[in-house]
Amino acid sequence: MPSSARLSKSALLDAVVRAVDDAEWNVLYLEAPEQKPFVIRIYRGEESHQLRVYIWNLTPGGRGRDPDEYRIQITGFSQFENHPPEKTLILGWWEEAGVFAGWDYAKHSGTLGGSPSFQIKEQNLREAYLNGFSPYTKGNGEVAIGFRPDFFVTYVQQLEQLHGFGGSAPDFQVLERFAQHPLELNTLPLEQVSTPRKTAIIQLNKKLRDSSFKARVLTAYGHQCAFSGMQLKLVDAAHIIPVNSALSTDDTANGIALSALYHRAYDRGLVTFDEEYRIVTNDKELFKLQEMGYDGGMESFRKSLRPLINFPPALSDRPNVTMVKEANRLRGWVS
């Protein structure tokens, strides 16, 4: 029987907070973090979600149980709480692979029985680690979802729809097939899936693409800003040709790692790089800011820039010259 590391309550909360933070969302503690369940608000921009989080360690099923089974053992509570419009999360954390599992509050809103436990297969946890997420059902209408931390916010956003797949066996089969073959979205019979669940699959697919692009670009650049060399976990994967252009792709060669500051400056056309990878500032726009009295920090902004971008060692990962030229045209640069 495989072993399973057990984290403390505070470490389990840290796993949640790290997942939110890595998604570039923010966390507010609405109740003391020492208490359980954890009550937090996650937000970014205008979107926010209040969460009541119940979380335990995922451990092997134990003697006499399916050796492929992992479970959370519910302790300390006879009933889960929910105070709309907050969302109640019932989660497990598998430390060895660094993945979550989530169960449907709607299926467990009543009084809990003696020594309750919720199950998921190890296979689903491993598939979640590899593919991003993986649904599991015993065929009783309830769906458990295994998911990587980078899918935490997406799981929250699509919570009801994802667990709702248990209400339709054909819909669940489509979700299961998509989880196992996430690159084959166009081969799925989505027209047979109810609209809210179809939307959930499309959002999962978008997240899969975004996560893959971000991971590939940041890895290629060593998690360093190509303009300044900064790390500090403040580096984004920016598209060279903007995503709203029909010519944009999620190829690594259409990506560049930039700190949050230079990412915004790049998108706004204050700084760019040319086909020879030279970093160039838009002196005309910077002069306009100076005339308006908005030039505070400009010297530091310029001083931190490298003469040439820091580019990946692999030729195939470096910015595509044709894409660089097109991106500069779209942003109004004149060579």
Side-chain angles (χ1 to χ4, degrees):
M1 178 68 67
S3 62
S4 182
R6 294 174 182 265
L7 301 188
S8 65
K9 290 181 181 180
S10 61
L12 290 171
L13 175 59
D14 285 345
V16 171
V17 172
R18 282 198 309 272
V20 176
D21 181 64
D22 288 346
E24 298 173 6
W25 281 55
N26 303 293
V27 176
L28 287 178
Y29 296 91
L30 302 183
E31 294 185 6
E34 296 81 13
Q35 297 183 4
K36 195 174 181 181
F38 306 118
V39 183
I40 60 176
R41 180 180 299 278
I42 65 172
Y43 65 95
R44 185 173 70 177
E46 298 297 318
E47 184 178 356
S48 70
H49 301 275
Q50 182 168 321
L51 309 178
R52 183 172 296 269
V53 183
Y54 296 86
I55 182 168
W56 288 269
N57 291 285
L58 276 162
T59 57
R63 187 185 301 274
R65 293 182 177 268
D66 186 338
D68 188 40
E69 179 185 283
Y70 271 66
R71 63 176 177 168
I72 56 172
Q73 188 71 47
I74 312 303
T75 57
F77 300 96
S78 60
Q79 187 169 1
F80 298 120
E81 294 183 39
N82 179 255
H83 304 282
E86 75 179 11
K87 297 187 177 188
T88 295
L89 306 187
I90 306 171
L91 301 177
W93 172 255
W94 189 28
E95 174 67 8
E96 280 81 353
V99 295
F100 292 99
W103 287 266
D104 188 2
Y105 164 77
K107 299 292 185 181
H108 303 283
S109 58
T111 302
L112 300 171
S115 190
S117 64
F118 301 162
Q119 296 79 36
I120 191 170
K121 294 290 188 179
E122 182 178 349
Q123 176 184 347
N124 293 98
L125 298 174
R126 294 188 180 280
E127 287 178 356
Y129 173 75
L130 294 173
N131 299 331
F133 81 103
S134 179
Y136 165 71
T137 182
K138 288 184 175 180
N140 60 354
E142 180 180 5
V143 172
I145 305 289
F147 59 97
R148 281 197 319 246
D150 52 313
F151 273 73
F152 186 91
V153 172
T154 303
Y155 173 74
V156 169
Q157 292 170 320
Q158 302 297 326
L159 183 70
E160 295 81 8
Q161 290 78 12
L162 285 171
H163 289 295
F165 274 89
S168 166
D171 284 7
F172 179 81
Q173 290 173 1
V174 173
L175 180 68
E176 188 175 43
R177 178 178 162 188
F178 172 64
Q180 294 170 352
H181 306 284
L183 299 181
E184 299 179 8
L185 178 67
N186 293 334
T187 68
L188 298 177
L190 287 181
E191 68 282 355
Q192 301 176 17
V193 179
S194 64
T195 300
R197 295 170 191 160
K198 184 189 304 182
T199 300
I201 290 178
I202 292 171
Q203 290 302 312
L204 284 168
N205 183 61
K206 181 179 184 301
K207 179 60 183 176
L208 281 165
R209 295 199 315 271
D210 291 346
S211 295
S212 173
F213 175 76
K214 180 178 180 180
R216 284 185 281 107
V217 171
L218 293 185
T219 299
Y221 285 82
H223 293 259
Q224 290 186 351
C225 173
F227 285 2
S228 68
M230 177 183 289
Q231 289 183 315
L232 303 178
K233 292 191 72 177
L234 296 173
V235 182
D236 304 330
H239 282 82
I240 294 173
I241 297 182
V243 292
N244 57 2
S245 168
L247 299 176
S248 186
T249 74
D250 286 335
D251 294 336
T252 308
N254 187 42
I256 184 169
L258 296 174
S259 70
L261 170 63
Y262 289 117
H263 187 176
R264 291 191 67 184
Y266 179 59
D267 285 345
R268 291 183 58 189
L270 295 179
V271 64
T272 191
F273 62 101
D274 61 21
E275 295 97 310
E276 295 182 3
Y277 301 135
R278 294 174 298 194
I279 297 174
V280 185
T281 57
N282 190 332
D283 292 339
K284 182 179 178 181
E285 290 300 317
L286 291 175
F287 181 71
K288 287 182 183 179
L289 293 174
Q290 190 173 21
E291 285 188 317
M292 296 167 63
Y294 293 156
D295 58 332
M298 187 177 295
E299 182 180 351
S300 175
F301 177 86
R302 290 178 181 272
K303 187 176 181 180
S304 296
L305 291 170
R306 301 164 51 92
L308 299 172
I309 70 167
N310 175 38
F311 50 71
L315 290 174
S316 60
D317 290 338
R318 295 178 184 178
N320 180 286
V321 171
T322 301
M323 291 179 174
V324 171
K325 186 175 182 179
E326 175 63 16
N328 285 336
R329 184 191 71 79
L330 290 169
R331 292 183 172 89
W333 287 83
V334 179
S335 53

